[in-house]
Amino acid sequence: LFDFKIILGKNGVPVAENFRLEQSTIADTIQAGQVRVRTLYLSVDPYMRCRMNEDTGSDYLLPWQLSEVADGGGIGVVEESKHDNLAKGDFVTSFNWPWQTVAILDGSLLQKLVPQLVNGRLSYFLGAAGITGLTALLGIKEKGHMAVGANQTMVVSGAAGACGSLAGQIGRLEGCSRVVGIAGTDEKCSILVQEMGFDAAINYKKGDVAEQLRELCPGGVDVYFDNVGGDISDTVISQMNQNSHIILCGQISQYNKDVPYPPPLPPDIEKIQKERNITRERFLVLNYIDKQEASILQLCQWIQEGKLKVR
């Protein structure tokens, strides 16, 4: 059994020395209600940077403890079961899966997976058909205020990431007439346009982003799916239309800094936001548990139909 252990402070970039890999043993027998699982997939996500602080900055995320095993979204296969609803060979998932090759877990905290829903690609349950896909879909539905035929333009930052690449595609499926992505390499931009169906993509490391946005979004920006915050977001917000909407998904450019979430906007950008009545509210996917099941089935349907491309 191998497990991961971690620590870091509020300011700073994670490095290998923050992690420790240990070899240890687990109990030979399991108790009633427990299952022994073998880990197949782990999800490594931006929010985990916040868990490397003593205070995560949010009440729904607990900090990782020094010299304790890290955890997050995971998928495994049941090797032995003493839980009534789980049998050997079942595929299961949890949002608090320990970073261990093998683990003994409480079966009641696990969700059983149906591989056929994602054409057998189990890892999708941590991505496009998991929390990542839910974040994109529910963020757009709850905070995007899109309408078919309204001729809306959507911009996505961090567009080639797990969430951003889905958000752009879902924006199109939900009625946006133009979708523009912002990413960090020419290759990513090419994938967004040629594979993911974005109308255009901007490499923010090349040229003037503001100028390219004006060119690619001549009617301004109606919806902004914000994954990054910082300078990029300031540039997009300055080109947003009256009564437009920011879907505040993440602020990854700020995660290595000691700032509140969501970080305050610079005064000149905040002025634009207020004058143009641009909504910018944080949203939490966990607040929409009642819509989770139907949303997952919608995501799976789009994947099966080839309407949602996943890398």
Side-chain angles (χ1 to χ4, degrees), residues 47-196:
Y47 80 86
M48 290 175 164
R49 174 60 186 85
C50 307
R51 298 192 68 189
M52 297 175 80
N53 301 332
E54 284 182 49
D55 176 8
T56 63
S58 57
D59 49 11
Y60 63 94
L61 271 186
L62 293 173
W64 281 327
Q65 298 300 309
L66 254 181
S67 294
E68 294 293 323
V69 180
D71 68 317
I75 290 172
V77 60
V78 175
E79 293 190 325
E80 184 186 353
S81 174
K82 285 192 178 177
H83 187 276
D84 292 343
N85 298 330
L86 296 172
K88 184 178 178 180
D90 282 348
F91 296 108
V92 289
T93 186
S94 166
F95 192 61
N96 299 108
W97 194 281
W99 285 15
Q100 300 177 184
T101 51
V102 181
I104 293 172
L105 303 174
D106 180 346
S108 65
L109 301 178
L110 300 174
Q111 188 181 350
K112 199 162 151 182
L113 297 173
V114 183
Q116 295 88 332
L117 285 174
V118 287
N119 301 329
R121 296 181 178 236
L122 274 173
S123 66
Y124 283 17
F125 285 117
L126 294 180
I131 285 282
T132 312
L134 281 174
T135 302
L137 178 57
L138 289 170
I140 284 167
K141 278 187 166 292
E142 299 297 326
K143 300 293 184 184
H145 303 277
M146 293 177 188
V148 177
N151 198 29
Q152 291 165 307
T153 294
M154 177 185 189
V155 170
V156 184
S157 57
C163 198
S165 61
L166 296 170
Q169 297 177 78
I170 292 169
R172 166 85 74 224
L173 290 166
E174 288 294 310
C176 260
S177 58
R178 185 162 184 76
V179 180
V180 176
I182 302 174
T185 70
D186 288 344
E187 184 192 7
K188 287 177 183 179
C189 291
S190 173
I191 288 166
L192 289 173
V193 174
Q194 291 173 19
E195 290 183 31
M196 307 287 188

Side-chain angles (χ1 to χ4, degrees), residues 22 95 100 170 203 231 249 251:
E22 291 184 354
F95 192 61
Q100 300 177 184
I170 292 169
N203 179 349
D231 294 343
C249 178
Q251 301 281 280

Side-chain angles (χ1 to χ4, degrees), residues 292-304:
Q292 190 166 320
E293 193 177 337
S295 299
I296 291 281
L297 289 174
Q298 175 66 84
L299 291 162
C300 289
Q301 185 184 333
W302 281 336
I303 290 166
Q304 289 171 344

